[in-house]
PDB file of all heavy atoms in Angstrom:
ATOM      1  N   LEU A  22      89.645 111.810  80.847  1.00  0.00           N
ATOM      2  CA  LEU A  22      88.684 112.756  81.420  1.00  0.00           C
ATOM      3  C   LEU A  22      88.173 113.723  80.362  1.00  0.00           C
ATOM      4  O   LEU A  22      88.945 114.298  79.598  1.00  0.00           O
ATOM      5  CB  LEU A  22      89.322 113.577  82.548  1.00  0.00           C
ATOM      6  CG  LEU A  22      89.453 112.923  83.916  1.00  0.00           C
ATOM      7  CD1 LEU A  22      90.089 113.912  84.897  1.00  0.00           C
ATOM      8  CD2 LEU A  22      88.134 112.423  84.436  1.00  0.00           C
ATOM      9  N   SER A  23      86.886 113.915  80.336  1.00  0.00           N
ATOM     10  CA  SER A  23      86.266 114.904  79.459  1.00  0.00           C
ATOM     11  C   SER A  23      86.607 116.295  79.988  1.00  0.00           C
ATOM     12  O   SER A  23      86.688 116.505  81.202  1.00  0.00           O
ATOM     13  CB  SER A  23      84.754 114.700  79.460  1.00  0.00           C
ATOM     14  OG  SER A  23      84.101 115.851  78.992  1.00  0.00           O
ATOM     15  N   ARG A  24      86.781 117.247  79.077  1.00  0.00           N
ATOM     16  CA  ARG A  24      87.053 118.629  79.489  1.00  0.00           C
ATOM     17  C   ARG A  24      85.837 119.247  80.181  1.00  0.00           C
ATOM     18  O   ARG A  24      85.933 120.308  80.775  1.00  0.00           O
ATOM     19  CB  ARG A  24      87.480 119.492  78.292  1.00  0.00           C
ATOM     20  CG  ARG A  24      88.825 119.113  77.691  1.00  0.00           C
ATOM     21  CD  ARG A  24      89.928 119.236  78.736  1.00  0.00           C
ATOM     22  NE  ARG A  24      91.264 119.072  78.197  1.00  0.00           N
ATOM     23  CZ  ARG A  24      91.941 117.933  78.180  1.00  0.00           C
ATOM     24  NH1 ARG A  24      91.388 116.830  78.638  1.00  0.00           N
ATOM     25  NH2 ARG A  24      93.165 117.877  77.706  1.00  0.00           N
ATOM     26  N   ASP A  25      84.700 118.555  80.137  1.00  0.00           N
ATOM     27  CA  ASP A  25      83.513 118.998  80.873  1.00  0.00           C
ATOM     28  C   ASP A  25      83.595 118.624  82.353  1.00  0.00           C
ATOM     29  O   ASP A  25      82.798 119.109  83.155  1.00  0.00           O
ATOM     30  CB  ASP A  25      82.246 118.379  80.286  1.00  0.00           C
ATOM     31  CG  ASP A  25      81.970 118.866  78.874  1.00  0.00           C
ATOM     32  OD1 ASP A  25      82.424 119.984  78.527  1.00  0.00           O
ATOM     33  OD2 ASP A  25      81.311 118.137  78.110  1.00  0.00           O
ATOM     34  N   THR A  26      84.535 117.741  82.699  1.00  0.00           N
ATOM     35  CA  THR A  26      84.712 117.338  84.089  1.00  0.00           C
ATOM     36  C   THR A  26      85.252 118.516  84.888  1.00  0.00           C
ATOM     37  O   THR A  26      86.219 119.161  84.475  1.00  0.00           O
ATOM     38  CB  THR A  26      85.693 116.150  84.187  1.00  0.00           C
ATOM     39  OG1 THR A  26      85.210 115.070  83.398  1.00  0.00           O
ATOM     40  CG2 THR A  26      85.868 115.693  85.632  1.00  0.00           C
ATOM     41  N   ILE A  27      84.638 118.794  86.006  1.00  0.00           N
ATOM     42  CA  ILE A  27      85.100 119.881  86.869  1.00  0.00           C
ATOM     43  C   ILE A  27      86.088 119.285  87.869  1.00  0.00           C
ATOM     44  O   ILE A  27      85.780 118.310  88.556  1.00  0.00           O
ATOM     45  CB  ILE A  27      83.929 120.547  87.598  1.00  0.00           C
ATOM     46  CG1 ILE A  27      82.967 121.144  86.567  1.00  0.00           C
ATOM     47  CG2 ILE A  27      84.431 121.612  88.570  1.00  0.00           C
ATOM     48  CD1 ILE A  27      81.621 121.477  87.123  1.00  0.00           C
ATOM     49  N   ILE A  28      87.254 119.867  87.929  1.00  0.00           N
ATOM     50  CA  ILE A  28      88.285 119.407  88.849  1.00  0.00           C
ATOM     51  C   ILE A  28      88.113 120.160  90.160  1.00  0.00           C
ATOM     52  O   ILE A  28      88.088 121.388  90.180  1.00  0.00           O
ATOM     53  CB  ILE A  28      89.698 119.653  88.269  1.00  0.00           C
ATOM     54  CG1 ILE A  28      89.821 119.071  86.856  1.00  0.00           C
ATOM     55  CG2 ILE A  28      90.752 119.113  89.215  1.00  0.00           C
ATOM     56  CD1 ILE A  28      89.486 117.597  86.721  1.00  0.00           C
ATOM     57  N   VAL A  29      87.972 119.427  91.244  1.00  0.00           N
ATOM     58  CA  VAL A  29      87.807 120.054  92.549  1.00  0.00           C
ATOM     59  C   VAL A  29      89.015 119.731  93.421  1.00  0.00           C
ATOM     60  O   VAL A  29      89.471 118.586  93.478  1.00  0.00           O
ATOM     61  CB  VAL A  29      86.473 119.658  93.231  1.00  0.00           C
ATOM     62  CG1 VAL A  29      86.370 118.170  93.452  1.00  0.00           C
ATOM     63  CG2 VAL A  29      86.278 120.400  94.540  1.00  0.00           C
ATOM     64  N   MET A  30      89.556 120.765  94.027  1.00  0.00           N
ATOM     65  CA  MET A  30      90.678 120.641  94.950  1.00  0.00           C
ATOM     66  C   MET A  30      90.323 121.460  96.191  1.00  0.00           C
ATOM     67  O   MET A  30      89.802 122.566  96.069  1.00  0.00           O
ATOM     68  CB  MET A  30      91.956 121.161  94.301  1.00  0.00           C
ATOM     69  CG  MET A  30      92.330 120.400  93.032  1.00  0.00           C
ATOM     70  SD  MET A  30      93.734 121.144  92.163  1.00  0.00           S
ATOM     71  CE  MET A  30      95.054 120.773  93.310  1.00  0.00           C
ATOM     72  N   ILE A  31      90.608 120.898  97.359  1.00  0.00           N
ATOM     73  CA  ILE A  31      90.211 121.560  98.601  1.00  0.00           C
ATOM     74  C   ILE A  31      91.429 121.749  99.496  1.00  0.00           C
ATOM     75  O   ILE A  31      92.118 120.783  99.831  1.00  0.00           O
ATOM     76  CB  ILE A  31      89.130 120.742  99.335  1.00  0.00           C
ATOM     77  CG1 ILE A  31      87.894 120.609  98.444  1.00  0.00           C
ATOM     78  CG2 ILE A  31      88.793 121.374 100.686  1.00  0.00           C
ATOM     79  CD1 ILE A  31      86.867 119.621  98.942  1.00  0.00           C
ATOM     80  N   GLU A  32      91.665 122.998  99.858  1.00  0.00           N
ATOM     81  CA  GLU A  32      92.680 123.323 100.855  1.00  0.00           C
ATOM     82  C   GLU A  32      91.970 123.288 102.199  1.00  0.00           C
ATOM     83  O   GLU A  32      91.297 124.240 102.576  1.00  0.00           O
ATOM     84  CB  GLU A  32      93.283 124.694 100.586  1.00  0.00           C
ATOM     85  CG  GLU A  32      94.048 124.766  99.283  1.00  0.00           C
ATOM     86  CD  GLU A  32      94.567 126.167  98.975  1.00  0.00           C
ATOM     87  OE1 GLU A  32      94.301 127.109  99.759  1.00  0.00           O
ATOM     88  OE2 GLU A  32      95.241 126.313  97.950  1.00  0.00           O
ATOM     89  N   ALA A  33      92.076 122.167 102.881  1.00  0.00           N
ATOM     90  CA  ALA A  33      91.341 121.958 104.131  1.00  0.00           C
ATOM     91  C   ALA A  33      92.159 122.455 105.321  1.00  0.00           C
ATOM     92  O   ALA A  33      93.266 121.986 105.564  1.00  0.00           O
ATOM     93  CB  ALA A  33      91.006 120.479 104.295  1.00  0.00           C
ATOM     94  N   ASP A  34      91.580 123.396 106.049  1.00  0.00           N
ATOM     95  CA  ASP A  34      92.256 123.967 107.219  1.00  0.00           C
ATOM     96  C   ASP A  34      92.700 122.896 108.211  1.00  0.00           C
ATOM     97  O   ASP A  34      93.771 123.008 108.791  1.00  0.00           O
ATOM     98  CB  ASP A  34      91.335 124.953 107.946  1.00  0.00           C
ATOM     99  CG  ASP A  34      91.043 126.192 107.135  1.00  0.00           C
ATOM    100  OD1 ASP A  34      91.795 126.483 106.187  1.00  0.00           O
ATOM    101  OD2 ASP A  34      90.036 126.874 107.452  1.00  0.00           O
ATOM    102  N   VAL A  35      91.867 121.873 108.399  1.00  0.00           N
ATOM    103  CA  VAL A  35      92.208 120.851 109.394  1.00  0.00           C
ATOM    104  C   VAL A  35      93.514 120.142 109.043  1.00  0.00           C
ATOM    105  O   VAL A  35      94.256 119.742 109.930  1.00  0.00           O
ATOM    106  CB  VAL A  35      91.073 119.822 109.592  1.00  0.00           C
ATOM    107  CG1 VAL A  35      89.856 120.474 110.220  1.00  0.00           C
ATOM    108  CG2 VAL A  35      90.711 119.117 108.316  1.00  0.00           C
ATOM    109  N   LEU A  36      93.798 120.000 107.770  1.00  0.00           N
ATOM    110  CA  LEU A  36      95.073 119.390 107.369  1.00  0.00           C
ATOM    111  C   LEU A  36      96.218 120.379 107.500  1.00  0.00           C
ATOM    112  O   LEU A  36      97.310 120.028 107.931  1.00  0.00           O
ATOM    113  CB  LEU A  36      95.008 118.891 105.924  1.00  0.00           C
ATOM    114  CG  LEU A  36      94.215 117.640 105.654  1.00  0.00           C
ATOM    115  CD1 LEU A  36      94.305 117.281 104.181  1.00  0.00           C
ATOM    116  CD2 LEU A  36      94.716 116.487 106.502  1.00  0.00           C
ATOM    117  N   LEU A  37      95.972 121.608 107.112  1.00  0.00           N
ATOM    118  CA  LEU A  37      97.035 122.601 107.088  1.00  0.00           C
ATOM    119  C   LEU A  37      97.441 123.045 108.478  1.00  0.00           C
ATOM    120  O   LEU A  37      98.613 123.291 108.744  1.00  0.00           O
ATOM    121  CB  LEU A  37      96.606 123.801 106.248  1.00  0.00           C
ATOM    122  CG  LEU A  37      96.234 123.453 104.805  1.00  0.00           C
ATOM    123  CD1 LEU A  37      95.720 124.689 104.081  1.00  0.00           C
ATOM    124  CD2 LEU A  37      97.405 122.839 104.075  1.00  0.00           C
ATOM    125  N   THR A  38      96.489 123.159 109.387  1.00  0.00           N
ATOM    126  CA  THR A  38      96.823 123.591 110.738  1.00  0.00           C
ATOM    127  C   THR A  38      97.366 122.448 111.581  1.00  0.00           C
ATOM    128  O   THR A  38      98.029 122.686 112.576  1.00  0.00           O
ATOM    129  CB  THR A  38      95.598 124.208 111.441  1.00  0.00           C
ATOM    130  OG1 THR A  38      94.534 123.258 111.441  1.00  0.00           O
ATOM    131  CG2 THR A  38      95.160 125.483 110.738  1.00  0.00           C
ATOM    132  N   ALA A  39      97.103 121.210 111.172  1.00  0.00           N
ATOM    133  CA  ALA A  39      97.634 120.066 111.910  1.00  0.00           C
ATOM    134  C   ALA A  39      99.124 119.883 111.634  1.00  0.00           C
ATOM    135  O   ALA A  39      99.846 119.331 112.455  1.00  0.00           O
ATOM    136  CB  ALA A  39      96.882 118.792 111.530  1.00  0.00           C
ATOM    137  N   ALA A  40      99.587 120.364 110.501  1.00  0.00           N
ATOM    138  CA  ALA A  40     101.005 120.218 110.155  1.00  0.00           C
ATOM    139  C   ALA A  40     101.841 121.082 111.083  1.00  0.00           C
ATOM    140  O   ALA A  40     101.504 122.232 111.348  1.00  0.00           O
ATOM    141  CB  ALA A  40     101.229 120.615 108.701  1.00  0.00           C
ATOM    142  N   ARG A  41     102.918 120.519 111.548  1.00  0.00           N
ATOM    143  CA  ARG A  41     103.773 121.254 112.473  1.00  0.00           C
ATOM    144  C   ARG A  41     104.970 121.881 111.767  1.00  0.00           C
ATOM    145  O   ARG A  41     105.798 122.504 112.393  1.00  0.00           O
ATOM    146  CB  ARG A  41     104.244 120.303 113.556  1.00  0.00           C
ATOM    147  CG  ARG A  41     103.100 119.830 114.424  1.00  0.00           C
ATOM    148  CD  ARG A  41     103.604 119.149 115.669  1.00  0.00           C
ATOM    149  NE  ARG A  41     102.517 118.965 116.596  1.00  0.00           N
ATOM    150  CZ  ARG A  41     101.876 117.818 116.769  1.00  0.00           C
ATOM    151  NH1 ARG A  41     102.231 116.777 116.097  1.00  0.00           N
ATOM    152  NH2 ARG A  41     100.897 117.725 117.625  1.00  0.00           N
ATOM    153  N   HIS A  42     105.045 121.710 110.490  1.00  0.00           N
ATOM    154  CA  HIS A  42     106.201 122.203 109.740  1.00  0.00           C
ATOM    155  C   HIS A  42     105.724 123.219 108.716  1.00  0.00           C
ATOM    156  O   HIS A  42     105.107 122.866 107.710  1.00  0.00           O
ATOM    157  CB  HIS A  42     106.902 121.014 109.061  1.00  0.00           C
ATOM    158  CG  HIS A  42     108.283 121.308 108.656  1.00  0.00           C
ATOM    159  ND1 HIS A  42     108.597 122.121 107.591  1.00  0.00           N
ATOM    160  CD2 HIS A  42     109.469 120.895 109.168  1.00  0.00           C
ATOM    161  CE1 HIS A  42     109.904 122.197 107.462  1.00  0.00           C
ATOM    162  NE2 HIS A  42     110.451 121.466 108.409  1.00  0.00           N
ATOM    163  N   ARG A  43     105.991 124.488 108.950  1.00  0.00           N
ATOM    164  CA  ARG A  43     105.467 125.547 108.094  1.00  0.00           C
ATOM    165  C   ARG A  43     105.972 125.449 106.659  1.00  0.00           C
ATOM    166  O   ARG A  43     105.232 125.717 105.716  1.00  0.00           O
ATOM    167  CB  ARG A  43     105.818 126.910 108.670  1.00  0.00           C
ATOM    168  CG  ARG A  43     105.025 127.239 109.886  1.00  0.00           C
ATOM    169  CD  ARG A  43     105.376 128.614 110.386  1.00  0.00           C
ATOM    170  NE  ARG A  43     104.583 128.886 111.570  1.00  0.00           N
ATOM    171  CZ  ARG A  43     104.291 130.086 111.973  1.00  0.00           C
ATOM    172  NH1 ARG A  43     104.740 131.130 111.329  1.00  0.00           N
ATOM    173  NH2 ARG A  43     103.563 130.255 113.048  1.00  0.00           N
ATOM    174  N   THR A  44     107.236 125.088 106.490  1.00  0.00           N
ATOM    175  CA  THR A  44     107.781 124.989 105.136  1.00  0.00           C
ATOM    176  C   THR A  44     107.068 123.899 104.359  1.00  0.00           C
ATOM    177  O   THR A  44     106.720 124.079 103.191  1.00  0.00           O
ATOM    178  CB  THR A  44     109.303 124.701 105.183  1.00  0.00           C
ATOM    179  OG1 THR A  44     109.930 125.725 105.959  1.00  0.00           O
ATOM    180  CG2 THR A  44     109.902 124.650 103.794  1.00  0.00           C
ATOM    181  N   ARG A  45     106.820 122.771 104.997  1.00  0.00           N
ATOM    182  CA  ARG A  45     106.112 121.674 104.330  1.00  0.00           C
ATOM    183  C   ARG A  45     104.710 122.117 103.925  1.00  0.00           C
ATOM    184  O   ARG A  45     104.246 121.838 102.815  1.00  0.00           O
ATOM    185  CB  ARG A  45     106.041 120.455 105.246  1.00  0.00           C
ATOM    186  CG  ARG A  45     105.337 119.275 104.610  1.00  0.00           C
ATOM    187  CD  ARG A  45     105.380 118.070 105.554  1.00  0.00           C
ATOM    188  NE  ARG A  45     104.794 116.929 104.921  1.00  0.00           N
ATOM    189  CZ  ARG A  45     103.521 116.550 105.082  1.00  0.00           C
ATOM    190  NH1 ARG A  45     102.714 117.232 105.856  1.00  0.00           N
ATOM    191  NH2 ARG A  45     103.056 115.492 104.469  1.00  0.00           N
ATOM    192  N   THR A  46     104.026 122.826 104.812  1.00  0.00           N
ATOM    193  CA  THR A  46     102.686 123.311 104.521  1.00  0.00           C
ATOM    194  C   THR A  46     102.706 124.289 103.350  1.00  0.00           C
ATOM    195  O   THR A  46     101.859 124.222 102.449  1.00  0.00           O
ATOM    196  CB  THR A  46     102.075 123.974 105.770  1.00  0.00           C
ATOM    197  OG1 THR A  46     102.048 123.010 106.827  1.00  0.00           O
ATOM    198  CG2 THR A  46     100.674 124.475 105.497  1.00  0.00           C
ATOM    199  N   ALA A  47     103.689 125.193 103.342  1.00  0.00           N
ATOM    200  CA  ALA A  47     103.799 126.163 102.245  1.00  0.00           C
ATOM    201  C   ALA A  47     104.058 125.456 100.916  1.00  0.00           C
ATOM    202  O   ALA A  47     103.459 125.807  99.886  1.00  0.00           O
ATOM    203  CB  ALA A  47     104.913 127.162 102.538  1.00  0.00           C
ATOM    204  N   LEU A  48     104.917 124.456 100.927  1.00  0.00           N
ATOM    205  CA  LEU A  48     105.199 123.706  99.700  1.00  0.00           C
ATOM    206  C   LEU A  48     103.973 122.931  99.232  1.00  0.00           C
ATOM    207  O   LEU A  48     103.697 122.845  98.034  1.00  0.00           O
ATOM    208  CB  LEU A  48     106.389 122.763  99.903  1.00  0.00           C
ATOM    209  CG  LEU A  48     107.740 123.450 100.032  1.00  0.00           C
ATOM    210  CD1 LEU A  48     108.811 122.436 100.452  1.00  0.00           C
ATOM    211  CD2 LEU A  48     108.127 124.143  98.749  1.00  0.00           C
ATOM    212  N   TYR A  49     103.226 122.374 100.161  1.00  0.00           N
ATOM    213  CA  TYR A  49     102.008 121.636  99.859  1.00  0.00           C
ATOM    214  C   TYR A  49     101.002 122.550  99.157  1.00  0.00           C
ATOM    215  O   TYR A  49     100.450 122.216  98.105  1.00  0.00           O
ATOM    216  CB  TYR A  49     101.450 121.086 101.172  1.00  0.00           C
ATOM    217  CG  TYR A  49     100.223 120.232 101.058  1.00  0.00           C
ATOM    218  CD1 TYR A  49     100.327 118.873 100.759  1.00  0.00           C
ATOM    219  CD2 TYR A  49      98.956 120.752 101.291  1.00  0.00           C
ATOM    220  CE1 TYR A  49      99.201 118.076 100.688  1.00  0.00           C
ATOM    221  CE2 TYR A  49      97.829 119.967 101.215  1.00  0.00           C
ATOM    222  CZ  TYR A  49      97.961 118.630 100.913  1.00  0.00           C
ATOM    223  OH  TYR A  49      96.838 117.837 100.839  1.00  0.00           O
ATOM    224  N   LEU A  50     100.783 123.740  99.722  1.00  0.00           N
ATOM    225  CA  LEU A  50      99.853 124.696  99.121  1.00  0.00           C
ATOM    226  C   LEU A  50     100.348 125.188  97.767  1.00  0.00           C
ATOM    227  O   LEU A  50      99.568 125.296  96.812  1.00  0.00           O
ATOM    228  CB  LEU A  50      99.641 125.885 100.052  1.00  0.00           C
ATOM    229  CG  LEU A  50      98.832 125.618 101.317  1.00  0.00           C
ATOM    230  CD1 LEU A  50      98.847 126.836 102.227  1.00  0.00           C
ATOM    231  CD2 LEU A  50      97.416 125.200 100.981  1.00  0.00           C
ATOM    232  N   ALA A  51     101.638 125.480  97.678  1.00  0.00           N
ATOM    233  CA  ALA A  51     102.198 125.953  96.405  1.00  0.00           C
ATOM    234  C   ALA A  51     102.050 124.886  95.328  1.00  0.00           C
ATOM    235  O   ALA A  51     101.703 125.194  94.182  1.00  0.00           O
ATOM    236  CB  ALA A  51     103.669 126.331  96.585  1.00  0.00           C
ATOM    237  N   ALA A  52     102.293 123.630  95.685  1.00  0.00           N
ATOM    238  CA  ALA A  52     102.162 122.542  94.710  1.00  0.00           C
ATOM    239  C   ALA A  52     100.714 122.408  94.242  1.00  0.00           C
ATOM    240  O   ALA A  52     100.455 122.237  93.048  1.00  0.00           O
ATOM    241  CB  ALA A  52     102.654 121.224  95.318  1.00  0.00           C
ATOM    242  N   MET A  53      99.765 122.487  95.163  1.00  0.00           N
ATOM    243  CA  MET A  53      98.348 122.386  94.783  1.00  0.00           C
ATOM    244  C   MET A  53      97.947 123.539  93.862  1.00  0.00           C
ATOM    245  O   MET A  53      97.286 123.331  92.848  1.00  0.00           O
ATOM    246  CB  MET A  53      97.457 122.365  96.023  1.00  0.00           C
ATOM    247  CG  MET A  53      97.477 121.052  96.770  1.00  0.00           C
ATOM    248  SD  MET A  53      96.333 121.008  98.170  1.00  0.00           S
ATOM    249  CE  MET A  53      94.745 121.020  97.360  1.00  0.00           C
ATOM    250  N   ARG A  54      98.361 124.738  94.200  1.00  0.00           N
ATOM    251  CA  ARG A  54      97.985 125.904  93.397  1.00  0.00           C
ATOM    252  C   ARG A  54      98.654 125.868  92.020  1.00  0.00           C
ATOM    253  O   ARG A  54      98.024 126.220  91.015  1.00  0.00           O
ATOM    254  CB  ARG A  54      98.319 127.180  94.153  1.00  0.00           C
ATOM    255  CG  ARG A  54      97.425 127.330  95.386  1.00  0.00           C
ATOM    256  CD  ARG A  54      97.852 128.439  96.301  1.00  0.00           C
ATOM    257  NE  ARG A  54      97.016 128.424  97.500  1.00  0.00           N
ATOM    258  CZ  ARG A  54      97.188 129.232  98.529  1.00  0.00           C
ATOM    259  NH1 ARG A  54      98.144 130.151  98.493  1.00  0.00           N
ATOM    260  NH2 ARG A  54      96.413 129.134  99.576  1.00  0.00           N
TER     261      ARG A  54
END
Side-chain angles (χ1 to χ4, degrees):
L22 280 181
S23 161
R24 293 300 188 265
D25 294 335
T26 303
I27 299 164
I28 308 305
V29 60
M30 300 173 70
I31 299 169
E32 295 176 358
D34 293 341
V35 293
L36 286 182
L37 302 176
T38 57
R41 294 193 168 101
H42 199 287
R43 287 182 180 204
T44 304
R45 181 177 184 264
T46 301
L48 289 171
Y49 183 84
L50 289 173
M53 285 184 69
R54 292 170 185 176

